[in-house]
Amino acid sequence: MSARVITVSSGKGGVGKTTVTANLATALAMAGKKVVAIDCDIGLRNLDLIMGLENRIVYDLVDIVEGRCRLRQAMIRDKRHPELHLIPAAQTRDKSAVTPDDMVRVCDDLKNRVDYVFLDCPAGIEGGFRNAIEPAHQVIVVTNPEVSSVRDADRIIGIIEAKEKGPGQLIINRLKPDMISRGDMFSIDDILDILAIELIGIIPEDDNIVVSANKGVPVVMDKNESLAKMAFRNIAQRLDGNPVPFQDLTKKKNLLKRFRAWASRGK
Amino acid sequence: MGWFRNILNPKSHQSASVAKNRLQMVLSHDRFNISPQLIEEIKDDIIAIFVDRFSIDADAVEIHITRTPTESRLVAEIPILTPSRHRIARRAKRN
């Protein structure tokens, strides 16, 4: 077994890195893979809360790095999926407590124990981000269809290419098909034109995400089907090497929109 | 009749295309350290090179950066006016 290390980044905060990490890690664990998710946002941890494991933290990433516990002791097992583990970030320290080399060592130790290691980056391009990039085999860039997060994604793509971790793969999160068909939100093609990297997933805006965060139950575990759940499951499959087709999120076009599309064709 | 034109051609008031143009300008600065002002200076220099040699449409000179996964290039578009006065006049009228 040799674990694949996947880093989830975005540059800008609040675009959904942690939600993406929690759901992809959970979806792969539900598909029978051994998965560890590591929260690299030291001082501002949240992955524990989104995964619903906040009450089970004893040791954290900094404890591992500073030798206060063994790796295994800091891996919180998610009882709902025996093959899913979380290594939480320390809450009372800052980013300088961990170095890029420390992260490489931790991921090296995990290499023979799991199939996937997910690293949830902090926002920004400083220390915590550099820590999370160093051991990556693959970098996912999460963006929202709006100017500031696409701009920051472009910056991240530049940095991961400079560090030879590129080219990176894109997840577009919080898409609102209605706004796109009105011409008031970047379309998928607009974003791909600008960023010029491979698309690996599109996640529509979905109230279920907020509900799932409230409960600490990632949306991929919902009994009911939702667009977001389907989107996350598809991305997990693509990461695992199954090229499933993209959902059509703009199916429900009304007559006027179809007419508009027809009237402005070729422009 | 503005509303009817908007239905037929929503592009004219779409905020997404405004955003795309603004973002592309900003990104050429972020990526290559080329400021909009530098672009203007380059444009003036290019016009200065050509203006005595060709008759070019100085107002329509455009400079932008295109990008694919493998390369980026600075592209200058310099419309030449010479061949048909007739056509120019027609375009001027249309604009």
Side-chain angles (χ1 to χ4, degrees):
Chain A
M1 201 184 298
S2 189
R4 185 155 187 80
V5 179
I6 301 176
T7 297
V8 181
S9 66
S10 70
K12 187 175 179 298
V15 300
K17 281 180 300 293
T18 303
T19 305
V20 165
T21 307
N23 278 286
L24 295 183
T26 306
L28 283 166
M30 289 168 82
K33 304 291 172 186
K34 294 186 172 163
V35 185
V36 179
I38 305 180
D39 190 343
C40 298
D41 201 351
I42 296 163
L44 288 169
R45 73 179 173 209
N46 270 321
L47 186 57
D48 53 330
L49 205 51
I50 299 300
M51 292 176 74
L53 300 172
E54 70 277 12
N55 292 327
R56 305 205 16 234
I57 297 175
V58 181
Y59 296 109
D60 57 48
L61 183 60
V62 176
D63 291 321
I64 299 173
V65 167
E66 295 182 349
R68 275 187 298 277
C69 70
R70 283 174 294 113
L71 180 64
R72 194 81 222 177
Q73 291 175 290
M75 289 167 62
I76 303 168
R77 193 170 69 96
D78 189 326
K79 289 172 182 160
R80 301 162 294 190
H81 314 285
E83 298 300 351
L84 178 60
H85 293 82
L86 166 70
I87 298 179
Q91 186 69 334
T92 52
R93 300 289 295 273
D94 66 64
K95 265 121 204 169
S96 60
V98 175
T99 66
D101 286 348
D102 291 332
M103 290 311 298
V104 171
R105 240 183 337 267
V106 169
C107 290
D108 239 31
D109 286 347
L110 287 166
K111 182 169 73 183
N112 296 319
R113 306 184 196 206
V114 297
D115 300 302
Y116 288 98
V117 178
F118 279 92
L119 300 178
D120 184 19
C121 275
I125 50 174
E126 294 89 25
F129 165 71
R130 310 231 168 218
N131 289 343
I133 289 298
E134 195 66 27
H137 296 127
Q138 182 174 356
V139 181
I140 291 178
V141 181
V142 184
T143 193
N144 294 164
E146 48 86 29
V147 278
S148 47
S149 83
V150 175
R151 181 195 200 173
D152 290 2
D154 186 78
R155 190 93 170 82
I156 294 292
I157 292 165
I159 295 171
I160 62 182
E161 275 168 10
K163 289 192 157 285
E164 295 182 351
K165 298 289 184 183
Q169 289 164 311
L170 187 69
I171 292 181
I172 302 174
N173 190 24
R174 299 220 176 122
L175 197 84
K176 296 184 181 174
D178 284 358
M179 288 193 73
I180 293 174
S181 55
R182 283 206 304 274
D184 283 328
M185 182 177 268
F186 283 144
S187 68
I188 314 282
D189 287 340
D190 287 336
I191 298 173
L192 295 180
D193 266 1
I194 293 167
L195 295 179
I197 62 168
E198 184 197 346
L199 180 69
I200 195 174
I202 307 161
I203 303 154
E205 175 85 34
D206 189 333
D207 290 353
N208 290 303
I209 299 283
V210 178
V211 177
S212 82
N214 290 344
K215 294 191 289 197
V217 179
V219 77
V220 290
M221 290 170 61
D222 267 1
K223 277 201 206 76
N224 302 324
E225 288 299 320
S226 62
L227 286 172
K229 175 182 172 180
M230 219 184 320
F232 281 123
R233 265 211 317 248
N234 287 350
I235 299 168
Q237 291 224 36
R238 288 179 200 122
L239 287 176
D240 206 33
N242 308 316
V244 290
F246 286 88
Q247 301 158 269
D248 183 7
L249 300 171
T250 52
K251 230 179 265 172
K252 287 175 278 177
K253 270 190 182 172
N254 64 29
L255 196 63
L256 179 60
K257 281 173 194 155
R258 281 210 299 260
F259 177 63
R260 268 184 185 164
W262 172 80
S264 63
R265 73 201 182 284
K267 273 187 188 145
Chain B
M1 283 308 274
W3 63 272
F4 186 66
R5 206 167 44 236
N6 286 344
I7 288 174
L8 285 179
N9 182 17
K11 283 241 153 66
S12 57
H13 69 284
Q14 282 174 341
S15 65
S17 51
V18 175
K20 195 173 175 184
N21 290 335
R22 289 178 57 223
L23 190 57
Q24 273 165 335
M25 282 305 288
V26 167
L27 287 180
S28 59
H29 184 225
D30 290 357
R31 285 169 184 161
F32 310 105
N33 212 12
I34 299 175
S35 65
Q37 192 184 345
L38 181 58
I39 295 268
E40 285 306 311
E41 285 171 27
I42 294 171
K43 202 192 276 184
D44 290 343
D45 289 351
I46 286 178
I47 292 169
I49 292 171
F50 284 102
V51 80
D52 294 333
R53 299 179 166 98
F54 289 99
S55 105
I56 62 167
D57 186 352
D59 293 334
V61 171
E62 287 232 15
I63 294 181
H64 51 258
I65 292 166
T66 62
R67 191 193 195 204
T68 68
T70 48
E71 59 159 34
S72 299
R73 54 176 69 190
L74 193 65
V75 179
E77 289 180 42
I78 308 157
I80 301 174
L81 288 183
T82 358
S84 160
R85 289 275 155 204
H86 175 72
R87 207 184 301 154
I88 299 154
R90 218 168 44 192
R91 196 185 53 194
K93 211 179 279 175
R94 222 177 31 232
N95 290 341

